[in-house]
Amino acid sequence: MQTSITFCDLVHREHSAQVMPLGISMVAAYAVNNFSSSIEVEIFKSADEFLRHVDKKIPRIACFSNYIWSSNLCYQIASRIKKKSPETIIVFGGPNYPLDIQEQEEFLKAHQGIDFYIVKEGEEAFAQLLNILFKYDFDIEKIKKERLQIGSCHYLSDGKFIGGELLPPISNLDDIPSPYLSGLCDKLLSQNLLPSVQFARGCPFACTFCQDGDDYYNRVRRFSINRIKEELSYLAKKSKAQTLSCSDQNFGMYKEDLEICREIALVQKTHGWPKHFAGIAGKNKKERILEATSLIGETHICAAVQSVSEQVLKNVRRSNISSKKMFELVQEAKKYESTAFSELILGLPGDTKESHIKSNVDLIDAEVDIVRSHQLVMLPAAEVSSREQREKYGLITRFRVTPKTVVPYKLFGEEFFAPEIDEICVASKTLSFEDYLECRLLNLTVEIFHNGRIFRELFRLLQIRGVRLSSFIMGIHQKVRSSERLSELYDNFLVETKELWKSRSELIALLKNNEVIDKFVSMEMGNNEQLIYRATAILDMMKELHEIAFGLARDMLDLKIKLNEKEIDFLKEFEAFNLIKTGDMLSGGKPKRKSFHYDFIRLIKSEFRKNYTDIYVPKGIEFEFSYTDKQKDLIADYFNIYGKSKNSEAYILGTALQNNRAFRKVDYSSTQSNKVVQAPS
């Protein structure tokens, strides 16, 4: 009889990480390769599907990935399985685990339902554990009593911490069978999960805020090109999702990546898949990254600078990554119609209000399409979370409920909640809590008015007339309170930003209150406030956004060139034109038609180098605003993956639909062809 093993990389029901569970699937594939006749394996991503499965059949071994976005969910399920079936062996592994041995022991004592914890790479470690379990006939009490040293495996024996020697990373990654080619993930590929690929492991950088900055991951190892080709071809035939995600830390930075990009381009040509690729994230080697982008076509380039402050970058051991080169990369990437995406982290050691504002200003003026600021999450496996770093930089932290994790579940007839809790840095020796809040408000303004390219053409017009883009955005930030609806939006955003607690235990106690739980379930509390309030502004207040943006543009241009009546009229029509183009996003609705006195298509194609008088059409010219079939398919694809809730819309608008993909395409109305010909040249 085969031993049943489940491998779970679960996510909460509405969480944005609806991506193939590639990591734990590789652990499963490695186990099957070594114990094929002895084990029966199933892999799960959906928590609801796994709960239904366990209600009918409890596995002999239940394995769980441990990430910050699902740690409590996995443990609450695991502990209930252990209570119902004490003979079931619970194995955890993953990065949401402390670096310090004393803290590791404290973690295991706080999570008594976990029998074994595997650290770092899991394939060989789990295989060794499984081999010992078979050898001891699954008598884990005997294993623990003998205090066996199992490679990369931690456990408690009579309350004493036992840690095996850390196994080295696997040198030849092809020793890990492909979970795709072996068919282990076929069921998951049919579930609209975003397919994820890994071409290499390891990161040469040592950033203290990242768990991959540990020396263990410093050497980069690669899968063979033949295996990669086979996987891409397989996914092209099997995947329902249209976007391919790459999990490599620095894809595009290595010469081998160019060969992979050529293969992706070939698969695109042969199969029409993937339509979109997300994952070019190299931090150095600008020319190579650009070549990779040119091969794949429309993609996202991530310029993850985190901060432009030299002192901050030095503090987090990131000074070997050139911010200047990243800025140059962004400029060049425009040629390939790629979305330039940059991430900042508010609250890094040594960060100040001034340095955070400067980071935003510099990235905006560098014409980065998306400048997204994150809060510093204190990852247990990251050096910045150590006692030494906290004391050195005076890091003050608070606790919050991770958005979209207060969800009711049911197992063995019992309903339960498993909210996740983040620890985030909200102040330090150099950043007061009040400054932190001011920076968060600025981040919201950047999200609404800059990110997503809603006002891209207006930006271009201002730049041609000598207005700095950052000055425009900072000016908007001073004016948002002039709108009653937007002022209320910002007030509510600030309230939710302050949903913080001093200790984890205080928040855990609060979450035992049913009335509090109801507030989180109804989304009265616990939102991803930055994305939710951005989406609310864009979907419900687009008219107000245009009034503020175009109103300030008129004021700034009037100061520079003293606008006449016709120029003011042009700006009014331009505002109405842009509002139709960008408004009512995600609707995929019927085409809209409207006449204007200016040929805005010619103006945009000229990069706004034509004067408004050059494009004036006295009799008027009718435009048609519509979604292409490709856009409709893409929007439908994302709704299939993420659902149609308020949270889903916020995520889709905030991260998935970029590079103008949510805006209507504009063309001349078919009934207006003669008028177009009459337009001035």
Side-chain angles (χ1 to χ4, degrees):
M1 183 178 177
Q2 291 182 312
T3 299
S4 62
I5 308 177
T6 55
F7 291 87
C8 297
D9 177 2
L10 305 180
V11 289
H12 284 272
R13 198 170 293 140
E14 290 192 12
H15 198 273
S16 57
Q18 303 297 331
V19 181
M20 291 291 296
L22 183 59
I24 204 167
S25 297
M26 288 185 181
V27 177
Y30 196 83
V32 169
N33 189 57
N34 285 274
F35 302 91
S36 57
S37 61
S38 305
I39 62 176
E40 175 188 48
V41 164
E42 290 191 73
I43 304 171
F44 295 89
K45 184 71 174 183
S46 163
D48 291 314
E49 183 187 4
F50 180 62
L51 292 172
R52 289 191 296 268
H53 174 85
V54 173
D55 257 330
K56 296 176 182 178
K57 179 184 177 183
I58 298 177
R60 189 69 180 85
I61 304 175
C63 304
F64 297 88
S65 292
N66 185 25
Y67 295 106
I68 58 169
W69 53 79
S70 60
S71 181
N72 193 36
L73 172 64
C74 290
Y75 184 70
Q76 291 299 327
I77 293 173
S79 60
R80 283 165 170 76
I81 292 174
K82 193 69 176 176
K83 182 179 179 181
K84 180 80 171 179
S85 174
E87 67 274 12
T88 294
I89 298 168
I90 305 296
V91 182
F92 268 56
N96 192 38
Y97 188 64
L99 290 174
D100 180 75
I101 291 178
Q102 182 181 338
E103 292 179 359
Q104 290 171 344
E105 182 176 337
E106 291 170 0
F107 177 92
L108 293 176
K109 286 180 177 178
H111 298 82
Q112 296 278 339
I114 298 174
D115 292 307
F116 301 99
Y117 200 104
I118 290 174
V119 297
K120 309 301 182 185
E121 283 192 351
E123 289 87 1
E124 179 60 28
F126 180 72
Q128 288 194 18
L129 172 62
L130 195 53
N131 189 55
I132 289 173
L133 289 172
F134 277 119
K135 181 179 178 180
Y136 279 74
D137 196 26
F138 295 91
D139 187 345
I140 60 173
E141 293 306 317
K142 186 176 181 182
I143 293 171
K144 292 183 176 183
K145 187 175 182 180
E146 293 185 11
R147 297 186 175 181
L148 293 180
Q149 297 284 316
I150 307 169
S152 296
C153 186
H154 296 175
Y155 62 90
L156 295 177
S157 174
D158 293 328
K160 180 177 175 59
F161 177 82
I162 307 297
E165 184 178 353
L166 186 64
L167 297 174
I170 294 175
S171 296
N172 182 9
L173 293 185
D174 279 0
D175 287 345
I176 306 169
S178 167
Y180 292 128
L181 300 177
S182 64
L184 281 177
C185 293
D186 279 1
K187 181 181 72 171
L188 297 168
L189 285 171
S190 68
Q191 295 177 356
N192 285 319
L193 291 172
L194 212 62
S196 178
V197 286
Q198 185 179 59
F199 306 129
R201 285 186 181 179
C203 179
F205 306 109
C207 309
T208 64
F209 55 83
C210 177
Q211 55 220 11
D212 290 312
D214 189 86
D215 290 344
Y216 180 87
Y217 299 107
N218 200 242
R219 188 170 71 87
V220 177
R221 297 149 290 138
R222 309 191 69 84
F223 290 96
S224 69
I225 189 62
N226 287 335
R227 173 197 171 116
I228 291 168
K229 287 179 179 180
E230 289 181 32
E231 282 195 336
L232 290 172
S233 179
Y234 190 88
L235 288 172
K237 297 169 186 174
K238 291 280 189 176
S239 176
K240 285 192 173 183
Q242 297 302 307
T243 298
L244 176 64
S245 174
C246 174
S247 63
D248 290 18
Q249 295 290 329
N250 296 284
F251 183 70
M253 201 172 82
Y254 303 99
K255 62 180 185 300
E256 294 90 345
D257 296 337
L258 298 181
E259 187 175 359
I260 295 171
C261 288
R262 293 186 189 97
E263 187 61 29
I264 293 173
L266 181 60
V267 172
Q268 287 175 322
K269 184 177 180 180
T270 305
H271 300 281
W273 183 96
K275 292 182 179 177
H276 307 282
F277 179 81
I280 292 185
K283 299 171 184 67
N284 283 333
K285 304 291 184 184
K286 179 192 76 172
E287 291 77 14
R288 194 170 284 155
I289 294 169
L290 289 170
E291 187 176 352
T293 302
S294 69
L295 291 168
I296 297 177
E298 183 184 317
T299 185
H300 294 212
I301 288 184
C302 182
V305 298
Q306 314 306 354
S307 174
V308 300
S309 164
E310 291 184 8
Q311 185 59 53
V312 171
L313 295 176
K314 181 180 178 182
N315 291 346
V316 298
R317 296 216 305 263
R318 198 179 172 85
S319 53
N320 61 334
I321 300 173
S322 171
S323 298
K324 179 183 177 183
K325 291 290 185 183
M326 283 197 178
F327 289 165
E328 292 174 357
L329 171 64
V330 167
Q331 298 296 327
E332 294 290 329
K334 303 286 183 184
K335 299 176 183 177
Y336 306 107
E337 309 230 341
S338 295
T339 299
F341 181 99
S342 192
E343 294 177 317
L344 297 171
I345 298 179
L346 172 62
L348 288 170
D351 202 6
T352 65
K353 181 178 78 170
E354 291 74 23
S355 67
H356 185 71
I357 291 172
K358 186 177 188 304
S359 295
N360 278 273
V361 165
D362 286 359
L363 287 168
I364 289 169
D365 284 337
E367 298 187 47
V368 175
D369 299 307
I370 302 165
V371 180
R372 177 148 297 143
S373 294
H374 300 283
Q375 292 149 293
L376 175 58
V377 179
M378 308 300 284
L379 301 173
E383 184 183 343
V384 75
S385 299
S386 67
R387 292 186 179 94
E388 294 78 13
Q389 290 269 306
R390 291 170 187 257
E391 291 175 5
K392 180 177 180 179
Y393 296 106
L395 304 181
I396 298 172
T397 66
R398 291 291 181 266
F399 295 84
R400 68 176 183 190
V401 175
T402 308
K404 298 180 286 186
T405 64
V406 184
V407 182
Y409 296 101
K410 193 172 185 180
L411 180 61
F412 307 134
E414 177 191 7
E415 186 176 82
F416 66 95
F417 290 85
E420 310 296 339
I421 295 175
D422 288 335
E423 182 185 10
I424 61 172
C425 180
V426 299
S428 67
K429 289 179 179 178
T430 55
L431 182 75
S432 69
F433 182 63
E434 290 71 24
D435 286 348
Y436 164 84
L437 293 176
E438 286 189 40
C439 289
R440 290 286 290 159
L441 288 169
L442 173 63
N443 297 157
L444 180 61
T445 296
V446 173
E447 280 286 356
I448 293 172
F449 288 92
H450 176 270
N451 296 353
R453 301 182 175 185
I454 292 171
F455 299 106
R456 182 187 185 186
E457 279 79 27
L458 178 60
F459 292 168
R460 187 60 183 152
L461 173 66
L462 292 171
Q463 288 173 308
I464 288 292
R465 301 297 186 268
V467 176
R468 281 183 64 193
L469 190 50
S470 62
S471 298
F472 181 61
I473 295 298
M474 296 302 289
I476 283 177
H477 187 58
Q478 300 302 317
K479 289 182 68 71
V480 287
R481 296 290 186 167
S482 64
S483 163
E484 184 177 343
R485 294 187 72 196
L486 281 172
S487 183
E488 182 181 0
L489 180 99
Y490 274 69
D491 287 341
N492 292 336
F493 169 81
L494 200 57
V495 168
E496 294 203 29
T497 299
K498 293 179 181 178
E499 284 179 4
L500 302 167
W501 287 264
K502 289 185 178 180
S503 70
R504 186 182 298 272
S505 58
E506 178 188 4
L507 183 49
I508 290 173
L510 184 71
L511 290 168
K512 293 179 180 178
N513 185 312
N514 289 334
E515 291 183 5
V516 173
I517 286 288
D518 288 342
K519 289 183 178 181
F520 280 100
V521 172
S522 65
M523 294 177 60
E524 186 179 337
M525 297 175 68
N527 295 306
N528 182 328
E529 62 270 11
Q530 193 161 281
L531 291 185
I532 284 286
Y533 282 93
R534 175 185 189 270
T536 299
I538 289 172
L539 295 177
D540 300 339
M541 305 178 189
M542 190 64 90
K543 187 173 183 292
E544 285 85 351
L545 303 187
H546 276 70
E547 288 172 352
I548 286 178
F550 277 85
L552 179 61
R554 280 192 292 271
D555 292 343
M556 296 182 83
L557 288 172
D558 194 39
L559 283 174
K560 276 197 168 286
I561 58 176
K562 196 64 182 173
L563 298 174
N564 58 40
E565 287 188 16
K566 286 205 175 277
E567 288 169 322
I568 293 173
D569 180 66
F570 159 76
L571 286 171
K572 286 180 180 177
E573 289 208 10
F574 186 23
E575 178 180 345
F577 174 88
N578 200 69
L579 183 57
I580 298 173
K581 177 184 173 184
T582 60
D584 194 21
M585 282 189 214
L586 304 183
S587 68
K590 295 180 179 179
K592 297 184 178 183
R593 293 183 179 86
K594 186 172 177 61
S595 294
F596 295 93
H597 291 96
Y598 302 90
D599 189 346
F600 291 111
I601 291 178
R602 288 182 63 214
L603 181 64
I604 293 169
K605 285 182 177 179
S606 76
E607 287 288 308
F608 288 85
R609 298 191 184 280
K610 289 186 178 294
N611 193 283
Y612 74 95
T613 56
D614 298 331
I615 59 164
Y616 181 66
V617 182
K619 294 183 178 180
I621 179 171
E622 188 176 70
F623 297 96
E624 180 172 292
F625 304 78
S626 62
Y627 288 106
T628 65
D629 290 339
K630 183 179 179 181
Q631 284 179 296
K632 292 177 183 177
D633 289 343
L634 185 62
I635 292 172
D637 188 40
Y638 281 126
F639 276 134
N640 285 334
I641 294 171
Y642 301 110
K644 288 192 175 183
S645 69
K646 186 177 180 181
N647 275 310
S648 300
E649 289 181 339
Y651 179 77
I652 291 169
L653 278 177
T655 63
L657 284 176
Q658 301 294 347
N659 202 21
N660 292 350
R661 288 185 286 174
F663 305 156
R664 290 175 177 83
K665 302 300 179 186
V666 187
D667 205 347
Y668 301 110
S669 171
S670 57
T671 61
Q672 293 293 305
S673 57
N674 290 334
K675 290 185 180 180
V676 176
V677 173
Q678 295 171 3
S681 59

